[in-house]
Structures are given as structure tokens and as C-alpha cells.
Amino acid sequence: MQKIFSFILFCLFLASCSQSPAPDLLLINSNFFTADSLRPHVTAVAIQGERILAVGSDEEMKKLAGEKTEIIDLQGAFAMPGFIEGHGHFSGLGRSLQNLNLLNTKSWQEITGLVAEKAQTAQPGDWIEGRGWHQEKWTESPGTTVNGYPYHDALSAAAPNNPVVLYHASGHGLVANQKAMQLAGISRETSDPIGGRIVRDARGNPIGVFEENAMSLIEKPLADWQNRRSDAERQSAFDKTVQLASQECLAKGITSFQDAGSDFWEIAQYHRLAESGKLELRLWAMLSQPNAADLPKLADFPQVGLGNGYFTVRAVKAYLDGALGSYGAWLLAPYTDKPDSYGQNTTPVDNIATLAAACKQHGLQLCVHAIGDRANREVLDIFERVSPPSGGGAGSGVDAARWRIEHAQHLDPQDIPRFRQLGAIASFQAIHCTSDAPFVVKRLGTERARTGAYAWRSLLDSGAHLANGTDAPVEDVNPLPCLYASVTRKRADTGLGFFPEQKMTREEGLLSYTIWNAYAAFEEAEKGSLVPGKLADIVVLSKDLLHCAPEEILQAEVLKTIVGGKVRFDK
Ligand SMILES: [Zn+2]
């Protein structure tokens, strides 16, 4: 009976093969990791239009070829599903490529030098923007400091006629020069806004550094300056930004990007670009935390698969605290190196709960930024209260809604099993672990760092869903250093390690950048593994990321990036 059944299936298979047209593209002679546990390794993939038609051996796939099938011989190279960036800032990435990039600067002197250089060609009154400085990475003293931060004086002297704003690498603080503070009307009388701090010296004078919500004081005149542009100027500047970010991502093997917070205007621009076929990789965006007046606008969402599957908005981003480096992470117990501080709660818990109820009402994923253990506990409590798990993944509970905690960076060990229990997704950035390694123990002390900081292994072992990413432009958007951090927990430059017992296996690392991120966006049926019927989003690399030595991950080169069956980057 079973034989007859098998025979009928075989006939059906032949019939369907003879009916379906030949593939447009065959990728052969490769070493594919498919991220599909049923068939993890194949040598060839057949693509028809935007999608994968079949996977298998070279011989099997060649049989499908027709007269017009293009065949690309990958000469044994390693290939896998295109990388999915799980948490980044797409327009921020584009802007960072236009503004001063301070990620690799080693001193305050170097930074003010770069600003002075930029000021020479800037029109008086134009803002100079930069991002990526980190006082913990400086090898030279910046002179007098407050909490390790420099005074603005050298920056003000470097650009006396231009307002300057330089964002901290974490994105949770900035330093401004005199001109910018003047435009913002900052004086010693200006009081700290809720959830933010104007850093002051012992005499109460602002030193130029603004943390968390205090950043908006400086951002206001910057936004005014930007908004003086016409709609057309603003739109074309945005398109340029998107183009730069796209090129950067495609060159690094990224075929989908999960944007962690765009406002309604930006969402409209992405929508326009997607509908006109101008997005070169797939974007999945979270709406930036809407204010109370904008909550009714959530009724227009989710918007899924716009522009032929290139743009989706089905999530909302919210912020509960700041970052660890700038003492903004909201902790259960005080900072070890700042015993008077528990960090910053940047949005009242009740406001997040209100937003959670709105997300539940409209069927949106809620993605809450939480770094400190207090912030993470509060978010888990909100998830549990507003949208209790429905059990077994069905219904409308937090588990079925796939609500996410963005960063989930420092957890109290008691809260680790709650991710699995609630079905909440821990969306972390492995590269933050090694970037932050030099100061985490200073901030948290050894015991808290060991048991709860970047605790991927503990989360995985508890059965939680994870997502991985870089938080670009906070970090380089390149997935390879992040993958290296995921599987080694070692810094690439100094070799400094951070509690290696929490590292991922090599396979988990690759899954975390493909199918796990697809799951975290409700897109696992469309992408994230190489399976017939899914989108043909593929990256080809010069090293076998599953088997090469760990250090070789860093040397791997992206050879091709394929989105929807089209080669979008070719080395
Ligand atoms: Zn972010």
C-alpha cells in the first residue's frame, strides 16, 4: 500500500516538474548552509523569479535547467540565507556615512581636530554632526572631566561659527559646543528634563554633555534647522541617506534590515521608495514610540509586504531606559562605580503599559528598549499584565504576538526563565558585549556581570527565542564581527574575553542572524532559510562560516549578495 502511495507521489512530483517552467537562475558548485534542519547542506539552489524553486545536488538542479536558465558556478564558495540585521537604525546608518564617524577615534583631541577640519569647509551656521565617541576608549586624557566626560571648550574653539553635536557611541548621550548650546538657550538655570541629565560641574555649569532625554534640548534647534528645508530638499536628502545605507548593507551581505524606530514621516518615505521599486533590500520597521496624541494613528498598521515584499511595518518601538556606558541603564541595585545612581527610567512605566494595550488592540508587536535589570523586569511585568501568554503559541497573548525586548542586556537571573514562559523575544546585539567588555564589570561588579550580562547561553538553554544584530550605527553594521562576538565573546582587537561560558555555538550564531531574526519579525515562512517557496535572499562568502577557525570569520569577504533572485552586490 505504502509503495503504491509512494509511486503516486512520485508521478505527481514528475507532473509538477514538467509543468513548472525552468528556473531563471541556478547557483551550483557551492557549499550551502540552508538553516533548514531537514536539509541543512546542499550544493545547488534553483531560483525562479524572486523565489527558491528547489535545493539539492548540482546534478539534481541541472536537470531542471532550461534554455534560458542562467547558471552561476560558485566554485565551492560557502553560501547561506542572506543576513537579516535584527536591530539597527537604517536612516541613522545612512546619516552616519555622511556625518563624522567617530567610532574609531582614540582621544578627545582627535575628535576636536576632525571637527576643526570639517568646520573649514562648512558654511557659517551649518550644523556639524558626528557620532560614535566613547570616553572609555580614549588613550589620552581629555583634561578636566566630569564623570569621565570632557568640557566643551576645545570643541567650541574648534568650530566657533558652527553648532556642533556629537553623539555618544551608545546613542544615549551627546556633546554639544557653545554655539549649539546658545541656539538651544542652555544656561546654568536650565533644569534637567524628566528622564535626562544636563551634565554639570561642581559649580552647576553645564559642561556640554547631555544624557538621555536632555539630548532633545540640543536636538530641537538642529531639527528646526533641518526643517527649514523644503519638502523636496528633505525628501531627496532622505533618499540619498537610504541609498548609502542600502549600499553599505548589501556590501556586507545583508538582505533584510529590521529598523528599530522610524517616525511617521520616515515610514511614509520608505513606503514611497518601496512602491516605486527603489528599495534594494527588505526593510521591516518599528514605528518610533508615538506620543499619546498619535496613538490613534496606530489603527493604520500593521502594513505588511508593501512594495512587493520590500517594506513591512508591524511593530512599535518604546524606550524604558538608557544605555550602560552613559549610566542610563535602569538597575535594580546602584551602579558599582556610581553608588548614588540606579540609572534612568526614560518613559514612565504607565505610558509603556498604555502603549502595550494599544499594540494589543491593533495586533502590533511591541518592542521595548530595556538594558538594565530593573528595566527588563518592568517590561516583562507589563507584557505579563497587559497581554498574558495564551499558552502553546495560539491566541493573542504576548507569546503569539511575539513581543520583543530590545537589547535585554542585563538581566536578573530570576527573570531569565520568564522570556520562555511569556514567549517574549530577547533581541540582543552580540557585538555590544565585546564592545562594552572593558567597562561592564566597572559598572555592575563581577557577580552581576557574570550572572546576568549578555546572558545568551542561559536564555537559549531556558528555551527562549533570540534575535541578533548590531544596533548600527551604534556599531558597524557588518554581521561578521558580531558573529565572531556571538561565538567567542572575545574582542577582535585586544582579545579581551567576557564570560565565555555564555557563548553560542557556530550553528546558533548563523541561525541567530537568519531564521531566528525572521521569526522575531513573523517572517519565517518567507525568509531566513533556503527552502523551496521562500524568497531567494542569499549571501555568498569566501570562508565557510560553519567550520572555519574563529578568527577567519573576521577575514571572510562577501562575494555576492542576492535579493529576490537578483545579484545586488558582486565583488
Ligand atoms: Zn537601537
Side-chain angles (χ1 to χ4, degrees), residues 87 89 260 317 319 407 471:
H87 174 129
H89 301 271
K317 173 77 176 290
Y319 292 85
H407 310 305
D471 207 4

Coordinates of all heavy atoms in Angstrom, one line a residue, residues 87 89 260 317 319 407 471, ligand 1:
H87 N 18.3 44.4 14.5 CA 18.0 45.7 15.2 C 19.1 46.7 14.8 O 20.2 46.6 15.2 CB 18.1 45.5 16.7 CG 17.9 46.8 17.5 ND1 17.0 46.9 18.5 CD2 18.6 47.9 17.5 CE1 17.1 48.1 19.1 NE2 18.0 48.8 18.4
H89 N 19.4 51.0 12.9 CA 18.7 52.2 12.6 C 19.1 52.6 11.2 O 20.2 53.1 10.9 CB 19.1 53.3 13.6 CG 18.7 52.8 15.0 ND1 17.5 53.1 15.6 CD2 19.4 52.0 15.9 CE1 17.4 52.5 16.8 NE2 18.6 51.9 17.0
A260 N 14.9 49.8 14.0 CA 14.4 49.8 15.4 C 13.9 51.2 15.7 O 14.3 51.8 16.7 CB 15.5 49.4 16.3
K317 N 8.2 50.7 18.6 CA 9.3 50.7 19.5 C 9.1 51.7 20.7 O 8.5 52.7 20.5 CB 10.5 51.3 18.7 CG 11.8 51.6 19.5 CD 12.5 50.3 19.8 CE 13.9 50.6 20.5 NZ 14.9 51.2 19.6
Y319 N 10.9 53.0 24.6 CA 12.2 53.1 25.4 C 11.9 53.2 26.9 O 11.2 54.1 27.3 CB 13.0 54.3 25.0 CG 13.5 54.3 23.6 CD1 12.8 54.8 22.5 CD2 14.8 53.9 23.4 CE1 13.3 54.8 21.3 CE2 15.4 53.9 22.1 CZ 14.6 54.4 21.0 OH 15.1 54.4 19.8
H407 N 17.6 44.7 23.2 CA 18.8 44.6 24.0 C 18.8 43.5 25.1 O 19.7 42.7 25.1 CB 19.2 46.0 24.5 CG 19.2 47.1 23.5 ND1 19.9 47.0 22.3 CD2 18.5 48.2 23.5 CE1 19.6 48.1 21.6 NE2 18.8 48.8 22.3
D471 N 22.7 47.0 16.1 CA 22.3 48.4 16.5 C 23.0 49.5 15.7 O 23.2 50.6 16.2 CB 22.5 48.6 18.0 CG 21.6 49.6 18.7 OD1 20.7 50.1 18.0 OD2 21.8 49.9 19.8
Ligands
ZN1 ZN 18.8 50.8 18.7

